[in-house]
Amino acid sequence: MAELRWNPMLKDWVMVASNRQDRPQMPKDWCPFCPGSGKVPDTYDVQEYDNDFPALSKEPSIPDSVGSEFYRTKEAYGKCEVILYSPEHTKTLSELPLPHVRKLVDLWCERFIELSKDSKVKYIFEFENRGAEVGVTMPHPHGQIYAYSEMPLKIKTELDSCREYYEENNECLICKMNKEEIEFKKRIVMENEDFLAYLPF
């Protein structure tokens, strides 16, 4: 069962997905994400794969009868996709050649655009978990895309802050933060003509 539960203290919806505890541990000598498994094409560069144990679904189940008028629940509508970086079982993202990474970025963009067409989807999150310590059951290098029916509180707060800062200062908040970091220099991890990555103040 997967559902959304209302947190009255944070005023946010929390995803509860008890169905994901039933995910199997894969045999050491077989991987569903490798060509020849029967689960993915025999040849691919990058590949979208619908999650077998999704926390969000286009046809969500009815929530468990554990809620109340105070502790509200609702269906966990959305979509969970797995993005396979490569057919090579041990090659991580940082080890892929640049033209291959470009194919991966193009797939992320393609899936983002497609998932955005659903009017019920309010936020799309692309991410990677790695290692058994965080619950990853598949060692084959991959990331995920979650399409949420509710915008997470942290994201909503950040957008509200950007709007308020602009209204008060007639200046973009992100641009101001970037300017501060460029002037300070010491928190910058990487900078090029397209990106600026830094540790938060």
Side-chain angles (χ1 to χ4, degrees), residues 16 57 59 65 75 140 146 150 160 166 175 180 186:
V16 176
S57 170
E59 296 176 2
S65 57
E75 296 176 345
H140 193 116
Y146 275 26
E150 295 286 338
D160 289 345
Y166 186 82
C175 300
E180 291 278 325
K186 295 179 182 177

Side-chain angles (χ1 to χ4, degrees), residues 5-14 151-154:
R5 295 184 183 182
W6 180 248
N7 182 328
M9 290 188 76
L10 292 178
K11 296 185 179 178
D12 196 16
W13 288 99
V14 178
M151 183 172 291
L153 177 63
K154 184 172 188 283

Side-chain angles (χ1 to χ4, degrees), residues 11-26:
K11 296 185 179 178
D12 196 16
W13 288 99
V14 178
M15 198 173 358
V16 176
S18 58
N19 61 317
R20 289 182 54 77
Q21 68 186 350
D22 298 326
R23 292 174 298 162
Q25 290 293 332
M26 292 293 113

Side-chain angles (χ1 to χ4, degrees), residues 31-49 82-91 96 100 103-104 107 138-143:
C31 172
F33 297 159
C34 284
S37 69
K39 300 283 269 178
V40 295
D42 285 340
T43 57
Y44 72 87
D45 289 325
V46 293
Q47 181 72 29
E48 180 273 330
Y49 180 93
V82 176
I83 300 297
L84 306 180
Y85 296 165
S86 156
E88 296 184 59
H89 186 71
T90 58
K91 188 156 275 192
L96 296 171
H100 192 105
K103 290 179 184 178
L104 178 58
L107 180 58
M138 296 295 197
H140 193 116
H142 67 283

Side-chain angles (χ1 to χ4, degrees), residues 50-65:
D50 286 350
N51 196 313
D52 288 327
F53 297 90
L56 302 164
S57 170
K58 294 279 183 125
E59 296 176 2
S61 350
I62 303 295
D64 284 332
S65 57

Side-chain angles (χ1 to χ4, degrees), residues 98 102 178 182 188-197:
L98 196 55
R102 175 58 194 255
N178 290 348
I182 289 168
I188 292 177
V189 177
M190 183 192 165
E191 180 181 7
N192 63 26
E193 62 183 16
D194 299 308
F195 293 96
L196 174 65

